[in-house]
Amino acid sequence: MLIHLLLLPLLASTWAKPTSYAIWSADSAISRGQGNGLGSNGAPLVSYEHGEFWWALRLLYEKTGNKIYFDYIRQGVDRVVAANGTIGGGYGFTTDYQLDPIRTGPTFLYLYDVTGQQKYKIAADKYRQQLETHPRTAQGQFWHKLRYPNQGWLDGIYMGDVFYAQYTHDFQYSNKSAWDDVQAQFTLMFENTLQNATSPPHLLYHGYDYSHAAPWASPDRGHSPESWDRALGWYMMALVDTLDIFPPAHPGHAALLSFFRTLAPRVKAAADAQTGVWWLVLSQPGRAGNYFESSGSAMFVYALLKGVRRGHIEDDGIVKAMRKAYGYMVENWAIPNANGTIDWQNTVQVGSLDGNGTFEYYTSVPTDVNDLKGLAAFTLASIEYENL
């Protein structure tokens, strides 16, 4: 696949800093065929990572007008959505009941809005139908997956509820019960995972088990023992993106705004004082084995800078702090290659509550180069940084 060469530095022995890291990172991912609607085996794949990347490419297309980005999005989606609107790529509707695949849904809605092609609406309808029967806790929280009964994870808010809000906005704007439900998803997650300890960081734990059956569930609310940076990053991005969608007159808008305003200064304060970026396990900064992780850091930069730009929070030193964090990221994690592409370093492969949820678990998971969860987040962070 050809690389978009407009702004890539192509010197074999030396490199020049690009005009736009957002373009550089996106073009590098495209050149490697990342986020193209296919898995490593070449078969169609419904992937939340691809959905995150398509969101970044959409913003980049809207900013630059470069149709390469739009065409790449559409080509990727067309590999998983058939002409009749059927979703392939391993998506299981009622067999799996997962929130992760629904992250591709906002792009289905976007393509329907731009092209008017009915197949994208049909595919989005399928996700919306899943939410009608998706299992919930007794309080009403969507289970993260069918195989994790009564568990709500921060990740799931980004995966399912941004789509839920966008679908409601586009097709059911006057459906108050749907808006109430979107608000409830954010609220239940916030209330059940907020750290109530006497000392900072007062952030959110990775998730909770309402039934208290998981080995990691706390006696009070069933929350997990640690705060994982990428999980909180998903939630922060979901908040700031959904605020653009939620009707301002609905009480849910004020509720989401209050969550964002509560968490934003705490996220800023949780950054490492020297580097400006964030630890993998936010609840145990500086502990031996902990390290600075790139995907969560990029997500925080995106969310907080967008929050300031959109007027959701006062600057109050946030822009300065995010500049510091971004500077560390480009100096230490954005590594140029001789062929003009960029490698993105230090993204942890996964973080799950399938096991015991301990510090030792999170720090034992390997990191990857060019993990799309991190590279897409860096593209998003770069777009916001360049908007400054």
Side-chain angles (χ1 to χ4, degrees):
M1 183 176 295
L2 294 176
I3 305 175
H4 168 219
L5 301 179
L6 181 61
L7 292 175
L8 288 182
L10 296 178
L11 301 179
S13 57
T14 62
W15 66 280
K17 287 188 176 181
T19 304
S20 166
Y21 274 98
I23 291 174
W24 197 15
S25 59
D27 289 354
S28 297
I30 289 172
S31 75
R32 292 187 287 263
Q34 294 184 269
N36 62 359
L38 301 175
S40 58
N41 61 356
L45 176 67
V46 175
S47 165
Y48 70 87
E49 299 180 29
H50 295 191
E52 181 195 6
F53 185 52
W54 294 338
W55 184 275
L57 292 184
R58 168 190 172 176
L59 297 181
L60 204 52
Y61 169 61
E62 291 172 348
K63 182 176 181 178
T64 66
N66 189 332
K67 199 167 180 290
I68 286 176
Y69 302 124
F70 178 83
D71 291 344
Y72 195 80
I73 295 168
R74 189 170 186 179
Q75 180 185 57
V77 172
D78 285 348
R79 287 175 170 143
V80 297
V81 176
N84 65 357
T86 301
I87 305 172
Y91 168 65
F93 177 32
T94 57
T95 54
D96 298 332
Y97 276 120
Q98 298 187 36
L99 293 177
D100 287 347
I102 299 177
R103 181 57 224 178
T104 58
T107 303
F108 298 174
L109 295 172
Y110 168 68
L111 289 178
Y112 176 69
D113 180 60
V114 172
T115 70
Q117 279 208 4
Q118 195 66 22
K119 71 173 189 175
Y120 302 123
K121 171 64 162 55
I122 295 171
D125 288 344
K126 192 69 172 177
Y127 285 156
R128 183 62 183 85
Q129 291 162 16
Q130 175 184 328
L131 295 180
E132 287 296 316
T133 56
H134 196 97
R136 298 170 180 253
T137 68
Q139 291 180 309
Q141 185 90 67
F142 290 133
W143 295 4
H144 188 64
K145 297 181 182 181
L146 182 64
R147 70 189 192 94
Y148 300 133
N150 289 292
Q151 292 183 23
W153 299 10
L154 296 180
D155 321 36
I157 299 294
Y158 186 76
M159 304 308 164
D161 293 298
V162 179
F163 165 79
Y164 194 180
Q166 189 68 61
Y167 188 98
T168 305
H169 177 279
D170 292 353
F171 305 113
Q172 303 174 355
Y173 197 79
S174 61
N175 187 343
K176 183 178 182 299
S177 63
W179 289 120
D180 291 347
D181 196 20
V182 174
Q183 175 188 351
Q185 298 307 311
F186 281 89
T187 300
L188 289 169
M189 190 64 67
F190 183 86
E191 291 177 347
N192 282 290
T193 63
L194 182 64
Q195 294 174 324
N196 291 330
T198 56
S199 59
H202 300 306
L203 297 171
L204 303 182
Y205 294 106
H206 186 171
Y208 72 100
D209 178 0
Y210 185 70
S211 68
H212 291 58
W216 43 258
S218 65
D220 55 351
R221 289 165 292 149
H223 64 70
S224 59
E226 304 292 351
S227 178
W228 179 47
D229 71 325
R230 187 158 73 224
L232 183 58
W234 293 129
Y235 189 79
M236 294 296 290
M237 292 202 301
L239 279 172
V240 79
D241 289 342
T242 305
L243 281 168
D244 284 344
I245 305 166
F246 222 106
H250 188 284
H253 189 279
L256 268 60
L257 187 59
S258 71
F259 301 152
F260 190 70
R261 287 176 173 173
T262 296
L263 290 170
R266 298 179 185 184
V267 169
K268 171 180 170 286
D272 174 66
Q274 182 175 353
T275 64
V277 294
W278 289 266
W279 297 92
L280 173 79
V281 183
L282 296 166
S283 41
Q284 301 207 42
R287 178 175 169 179
N290 209 352
Y291 60 89
F292 303 131
E293 199 277 327
S294 65
S295 66
S297 293
M299 290 173 180
F300 294 147
V301 170
Y302 167 76
L304 268 62
L305 284 181
K306 182 176 180 180
V308 172
R309 177 174 62 83
R310 297 287 291 153
H312 300 317
I313 49 176
E314 298 294 329
D315 183 346
D316 196 23
I318 286 177
V319 170
K320 180 180 179 181
M322 296 308 104
R323 285 186 184 275
K324 180 177 181 178
Y326 189 82
Y328 181 93
M329 292 195 299
V330 298
E331 290 298 323
N332 292 273
W333 296 330
I335 308 302
N337 296 311
N339 68 355
T341 63
I342 190 175
D343 280 342
W344 180 251
Q345 307 275 346
N346 243 51
T347 294
V348 68
Q349 290 177 356
V350 70
S352 174
L353 291 174
D354 191 31
N356 58 18
T358 62
F359 174 88
E360 288 77 14
Y361 159 71
Y362 288 107
T363 56
S364 72
V365 179
T367 60
D368 266 346
V369 177
N370 294 325
D371 188 301
L372 195 57
K373 296 181 290 294
L375 187 59
F378 177 61
T379 306
L380 288 166
S382 297
I383 291 169
E384 281 302 328
Y385 184 84
E386 291 160 16
N387 281 337
L388 292 174

